[in-house]
Amino acid sequence: MINITNLTKAFGKAQVLKGISTQVDQGEVVALIGPSGSGKSTFLRCLNLLETPTSGTITIDGVELTNPKVDAAQVRLRIGMVFQHFHLFPHMTVLDNITFAPIEVKGLSVEAARAKAHELLARVGLSDKADSYPSRLSGGQKQRVAIARSLAMEPDIMLFDEPTSALDPEMVKEVLNVIRTLADSGMTMLIVTHEMKFAREAADTIYFLDDGKLVERATPEQFFSNPQSERAARFLEQVL
Amino acid sequence: MYTSNYSLHLTIGLYLEVDKYVTVHTHKKEEIMNRNRLQRLYIPLIVFTLLLLSIISITSLAKTDLAHAAKEPTSAVKKLVMGTSPDYPPYESVDAKNNGEIVGLDIDIAKYITSQLGYELEITSMDFSGLIAALQTERVDFVMSGMSVTDERKKSVAFSDSYYTARNTIVSQKKNGFETVEQLSGKLVGTQLGSTQDQFAETIPGAKHKKLNKIADLIQELNSGRIDAAIVEDAVAIEMVLANSDLAMNFIPVVEEANGYAIAFPKQTALVADFNRMLDQMKENGELQNIIDKWFEEKQADTSGQTGFLNIDFRVLDGYVPYILKGVYVTLLFTLVSALLGLFWGTILSLFKISGIRPLQWFATAYTSVFRGTPLLVQLTLIYYAVPQLFNFDIPALLAAGLAFGLNSAAYLSETIRGGIMAVDKGQREASIALGIPYRKMMVRIIFPQALRHILPALVNEFVALLKESSLVSVIGVTELMRRADVVRASTFRSFEALLLVAAIYYVLVLVLTSLARMLERRLRRSD
């Protein structure tokens, strides 16, 4: 579904991604792990062109994103993204946060968008918060709304950029449960995470990135029990 | 992050999306949602509508003003526009108690001559200092404003024969009672800037000289002892002394044939000969003397008590208050127009600045630099006098003022708005982009509402400043609050009362504005 060949990204002189090639299948759940600064987030952000790759190609279902002629907005419609810091629109209610893009971008009718939003809110367990403003929500609730907001655009692929890193520990679980349910539903997902237990349980594939390179690509069982590289072994030693 | 692809769509669009609400939820919810939707529309929509409305009303106001000033609104007759500074009774003043019509000795002469010559007369009011420029730019056909012939002025304009020669008069506090020029040696003498007495005072041996803008200022300086004496002409002195019982006057004998008052024309006009012929005729048939007598005899002594704190007596404003209050409308309209123009244009400039497109950035930066780096008063005067020459469009004073203030305010606001936009978390942009929201929608619906919240206090400051600075536009004759106060000061020959009244009015206006802003802020903070 997603084909990535020799992807590089440099910020000025800093080479953040040093040639990553891989492919992600339909319905595959990928957990990206690795030390901070290894390029996990940058890699993820390249996939919906929040960062413009320096070189290399990304192809989604045959459409080459990295081709300048491709309309980035069209590509983004197929890809949802959830951020570490939620980025809900603070001046809109939860319901408006969720319905804004479907109405304004996809041209959904107001009632259809609202019906969909209520359904999604029920799915993330926040039916009673539809008319609240984001400032009234806890971090975990905000992140669940952010997930619902992304899902409202009915994407084929979901990207999660450290979705639980900004949360208090007691709220991590409620968010991970939502993501896990989503994974079980067959959504193609890439998740940058530091939650090793979650990665092990929910992911189909683990990508271990270090210093801008995809060092290991393995099933959770393989990776966590028998890492192939020395760097991965050292990393696991530190975090487990 | 703004990349050049997006920034071309810089529009603060006019949003008129018609949403059909279907009752899906309870009525209460429905209501809340309706309101939310409305609020999304409100900023761009209201800004645009108000801007349009005010421009329309400003133009029509300007038109009605002109129509009001025109005496015989028949189109067949040729029209002559006369410029005057109606703060110099009995020659010309605003009859504030009576519809604000401009009346006086000069006006009567002008009416007589123009009607005899078969013209329609239209009177335009402006500051005395702007009269010569108005002639040079041919905004007016002639000027009568108690203007005396000087060599200086002759270089720029043509004069008729003189129709009246005034005597110079010394006005001083009664306890000093200066009678002769000799007594003024070593004293500080005040005159009105640009008047004939201005030059006369230079010739007084040993006296120091201070030039002030208005007669009312002279009175105040006399009362407070900052000047020892004022030299004004006879008619003015009479009024000054009548209205201020502490003052005394003494006429100075005419030594040489002083330059009298004359009608000024643009150079090379055929009108001078016609007007001279009519003046001769008026001198012969006694009409001129009739008019002079009429205006110099129409005096009633104001005998009401004038003592008390600072010699303030608000009774002198009796009858003038409605005239002054009408200025509130003009001031508010003007402030609204310039604020909206400033907000609109300032927003566009701020978008230029963050666009990442070099020429647009340079333009916006240069614009801001020029408009912040030159005095507002200069910009105002330039726009008012230069536009007719450059574009052959006789820009109404109120429009010129709104334009100058709006353009100036935009320079300041563009920086404020830019700061507000930059202060919005960049995650908001990323989230919008990730959701596929186009640039324009993102700016209007996501970024601006949040930026507005950040900059609201700064915006209120700017609008309060605009409201107060609007008093500057009195210099080009817009009859807003300050101008009206000046008119009343000139008519009453009293300096404090009208000023205190308009100060109070400005203060109340600012209070109302700030409390409105506080309400708006509370609404915007509702989501906290």
Side-chain angles (χ1 to χ4, degrees):
Chain A
M1 185 183 203
I2 310 175
N3 269 296
I4 298 156
T5 337
N6 211 13
L7 178 68
T8 71
K9 174 67 184 175
F11 293 104
K13 285 192 173 161
Q15 194 76 25
V16 180
L17 297 180
K18 298 175 178 171
I20 292 181
S21 301
T22 184
Q23 68 184 57
V24 180
D25 293 330
Q26 173 87 47
E28 188 176 351
V29 177
V30 177
L32 294 109
I33 60 179
S36 60
S38 57
K40 308 183 294 287
S41 287
T42 306
F43 175 70
L44 203 67
R45 290 160 63 84
C46 281
L47 294 185
N48 70 347
L49 300 180
L50 274 183
E51 306 292 356
T52 312
T54 307
S55 70
T57 57
I58 302 170
T59 312
I60 296 181
D61 284 344
V63 180
E64 195 198 322
L65 271 63
T66 34
N67 184 335
K69 284 179 197 144
V70 169
D71 180 8
Q74 283 305 312
V75 175
R76 289 186 187 116
L77 286 184
R78 302 189 52 197
I79 307 175
M81 183 156 191
V82 172
F83 300 87
Q84 179 180 357
H85 293 287
F86 334 125
H87 301 329
L88 293 182
F89 304 135
H91 59 301
M92 295 182 185
T93 62
V94 165
L95 193 68
D96 286 338
N97 260 281
I98 299 173
T99 58
F100 184 85
I103 295 171
E104 300 295 337
V105 181
K106 278 195 154 178
L108 236 64
S109 72
V110 175
E111 52 270 34
R114 283 183 186 163
K116 175 88 184 166
H118 282 290
E119 180 196 314
L120 285 167
L121 280 175
R123 239 165 97 186
V124 300
L126 291 171
S127 287
D128 54 330
K129 299 293 183 191
D131 295 324
S132 303
Y133 281 96
S135 56
R136 302 269 179 234
L137 304 180
S138 71
Q141 290 170 332
K142 281 183 196 167
Q143 195 59 296
R144 285 187 279 157
V145 172
I147 293 171
R149 181 174 69 174
S150 275
L151 291 177
M153 292 298 280
E154 300 183 318
D156 302 326
I157 301 162
M158 283 289 285
L159 309 176
F160 291 87
D161 191 1
E162 303 198 27
T164 58
S165 298
L167 299 178
D168 291 337
E170 73 271 22
M171 293 171 184
V172 170
K173 204 175 159 201
E174 65 188 53
V175 172
L176 289 183
N177 283 342
V178 169
I179 298 176
R180 199 183 312 243
T181 316
L182 197 57
D184 293 342
S185 74
M187 173 75 72
T188 310
M189 309 201 310
L190 289 97
I191 309 164
V192 173
T193 186
H194 294 295
E195 300 288 334
M196 293 305 146
K197 184 165 170 284
F198 171 77
R200 185 175 212 161
E201 290 167 9
D204 300 317
T205 318
I206 303 287
Y207 285 7
F208 177 74
L209 273 75
D210 188 35
D211 193 25
K213 296 193 196 87
L214 179 52
V215 178
E216 275 197 60
R217 179 173 178 243
T219 62
E221 295 77 42
Q222 271 179 339
F223 180 76
F224 285 104
S225 54
N226 187 18
Q228 298 299 300
S229 68
E230 188 223 342
R231 275 188 280 181
R234 207 167 57 221
F235 174 76
L236 283 175
E237 226 167 76
Q238 283 164 347
V239 296
L240 289 179
Chain B
M1 273 297 139
Y2 294 87
T3 59
S4 43
N5 319 351
Y6 299 116
S7 43
L8 278 171
H9 315 267
L10 6 102
T11 21
I12 330 163
L14 180 53
Y15 270 80
L16 266 177
E17 293 147 279
V18 184
D19 288 325
K20 297 150 209 93
Y21 294 97
V22 176
T23 329
V24 183
H25 312 289
T26 63
H27 279 298
K28 198 181 167 206
K29 263 188 179 169
E30 182 75 6
E31 224 174 80
I32 294 170
M33 286 159 185
N34 264 315
R35 211 172 54 208
N36 289 343
R37 295 291 297 161
L38 277 178
Q39 266 152 10
R40 290 172 174 179
L41 308 180
Y42 74 120
I43 298 173
L45 186 59
I46 289 179
V47 164
F48 264 88
T49 330
L50 287 184
L51 194 65
L52 277 177
L53 279 179
S54 6
I55 285 175
I56 290 166
S57 76
I58 222 173
T59 336
S60 62
L61 183 85
K63 273 183 193 150
T64 53
D65 263 10
L66 289 178
H68 183 73
K71 293 295 164 257
E72 282 109 9
T74 43
S75 49
V77 193
K78 279 179 293 175
K79 192 171 70 178
L80 283 183
V81 181
M82 163 176 152
T84 190
S85 171
D87 51 6
Y88 208 60
Y91 299 98
E92 48 270 319
S93 63
V94 173
D95 192 356
K97 291 178 180 175
N98 192 7
N99 283 331
E101 204 185 333
I102 297 173
V103 296
L105 190 155
D106 284 349
I107 312 300
D108 282 354
I109 295 175
K111 277 181 185 167
Y112 184 86
I113 293 180
T114 48
S115 74
Q116 290 290 313
L117 291 174
Y119 290 105
E120 183 190 330
L121 176 65
E122 178 180 319
I123 299 173
T124 300
S125 142
M126 60 188 72
D127 222 44
F128 190 83
S129 54
L131 288 171
I132 297 286
L135 278 174
Q136 287 175 316
T137 55
E138 294 185 10
R139 297 180 74 94
V140 298
D141 297 306
F142 68 100
V143 159
M144 285 187 80
S145 199
M147 185 178 277
S148 48
V149 182
T150 64
D151 291 338
E152 192 84 9
R153 285 181 186 143
K154 273 184 186 162
K155 287 178 197 155
S156 322
V157 298
F159 280 103
S160 71
D161 300 336
S162 92
Y163 55 88
Y164 183 77
T165 305
R167 284 166 296 174
N168 293 338
T169 310
I170 305 172
V171 179
S172 59
Q173 289 194 20
K174 261 189 184 150
K175 61 177 187 223
N176 293 330
F178 298 118
E179 285 174 12
T180 63
V181 172
E182 287 70 38
Q183 287 177 317
L184 295 177
S185 178
K187 299 286 189 279
L188 182 57
V189 173
T191 56
Q192 188 181 14
L193 178 67
S195 66
T196 4
Q197 292 75 31
D198 211 9
Q199 287 164 349
F200 174 75
E202 295 291 343
T203 67
I204 301 174
K208 280 176 291 178
H209 186 193
K210 184 172 183 181
K211 301 176 184 193
L212 293 162
N213 272 326
K214 298 188 186 304
I215 297 293
D217 299 335
L218 283 176
I219 297 171
Q220 195 43 48
E221 295 278 84
L222 271 176
N223 281 333
S224 58
R226 285 207 210 115
I227 56 176
D228 300 303
I231 311 269
V232 294
E233 62 162 273
D234 46 9
V236 172
I238 293 167
E239 300 270 6
M240 283 170 80
V241 172
L242 275 175
N244 297 271
S245 56
D246 293 339
L247 300 180
M249 62 172 177
N250 285 291
F251 300 119
I252 300 168
V254 180
V255 190
E256 56 189 293
E257 183 59 31
N259 294 322
Y261 291 150
I263 309 167
F265 300 88
K267 287 218 156 177
Q268 287 134 10
T269 175
L271 284 173
V272 185
D274 288 342
F275 273 62
N276 278 339
R277 190 160 44 77
M278 289 310 302
L279 280 175
D280 286 343
Q281 189 187 320
M282 287 176 82
K283 281 172 192 165
E284 276 166 32
N285 66 16
E287 186 61 37
L288 189 60
Q289 197 55 47
N290 284 346
I291 293 175
I292 291 170
D293 289 348
K294 171 188 164 197
W295 286 99
F296 277 81
E297 278 164 13
E298 254 185 23
K299 303 260 189 299
Q300 70 279 41
D302 182 1
T303 47
S304 54
Q306 288 176 359
T307 45
F309 178 66
L310 274 175
N311 193 13
I312 288 172
D313 181 3
F314 281 103
R315 279 172 296 177
V316 301
L317 293 182
D318 190 29
Y320 289 115
V321 174
Y323 174 77
I324 291 182
L325 284 178
K326 272 185 211 153
V328 172
Y329 170 71
V330 183
T331 292
L332 285 181
L333 179 64
F334 163 80
T335 308
L336 186 71
V337 170
S338 40
L340 291 180
L341 177 63
L343 197 59
F344 178 67
W345 180 224
T347 306
I348 290 177
L349 285 174
S350 70
L351 289 175
F352 281 6
K353 285 179 186 173
I354 58 181
S355 67
I357 302 173
R358 284 288 169 78
L360 292 184
Q361 285 178 317
W362 285 333
F363 169 77
T365 310
Y367 178 94
T368 308
S369 170
V370 169
F371 274 85
R372 284 207 298 201
T374 54
L376 181 51
L377 196 54
V378 174
Q379 294 163 18
L380 175 67
T381 322
L382 275 179
I383 287 178
Y384 182 58
Y385 291 110
V387 164
Q389 286 196 316
L390 290 178
F391 303 104
N392 201 20
F393 165 61
D394 184 9
I395 189 168
L398 195 54
L399 191 59
L403 201 58
F405 275 62
L407 293 178
N408 182 277
S409 181
Y412 288 89
L413 284 178
S414 69
E415 281 300 290
T416 310
I417 296 168
R418 188 178 69 92
I421 290 174
M422 300 313 269
V424 175
D425 180 10
K426 88 176 196 313
Q428 293 291 312
R429 272 154 229 176
E430 293 190 346
S432 306
I433 291 170
L435 285 168
I437 300 170
Y439 180 83
R440 197 183 73 121
K441 274 204 166 96
M442 169 180 86
M443 290 311 283
V444 174
R445 306 280 290 275
I446 309 291
I447 306 297
F448 278 137
Q450 297 182 55
L452 185 66
R453 255 182 48 168
H454 293 302
I455 62 174
L456 194 64
L459 286 184
V460 173
N461 269 346
E462 177 66 20
F463 295 154
V464 166
L466 268 180
L467 177 65
K468 289 181 298 177
E469 283 169 12
S470 69
S471 54
L472 274 181
V473 307
S474 61
V475 299
I476 58 168
V478 176
T479 49
E480 43 65 74
L481 275 172
M482 189 63 199
R483 177 73 179 178
R484 283 166 193 256
D486 281 340
V487 163
V488 171
R489 289 171 79 205
S491 308
T492 57
F493 286 86
R494 309 269 303 174
S495 55
F496 269 136
E497 291 81 359
L499 272 186
L500 286 174
L501 178 63
V502 293
I505 294 174
Y506 276 117
Y507 185 65
V508 170
L509 290 180
V510 169
L511 280 188
V512 171
L513 184 65
T514 26
S515 54
L516 282 177
R518 211 168 294 135
M519 275 165 59
L520 178 63
E521 193 162 1
R522 219 172 295 136
R523 279 184 75 76
L524 290 175
R525 295 227 177 274
R526 177 184 47 136
S527 55
D528 282 350

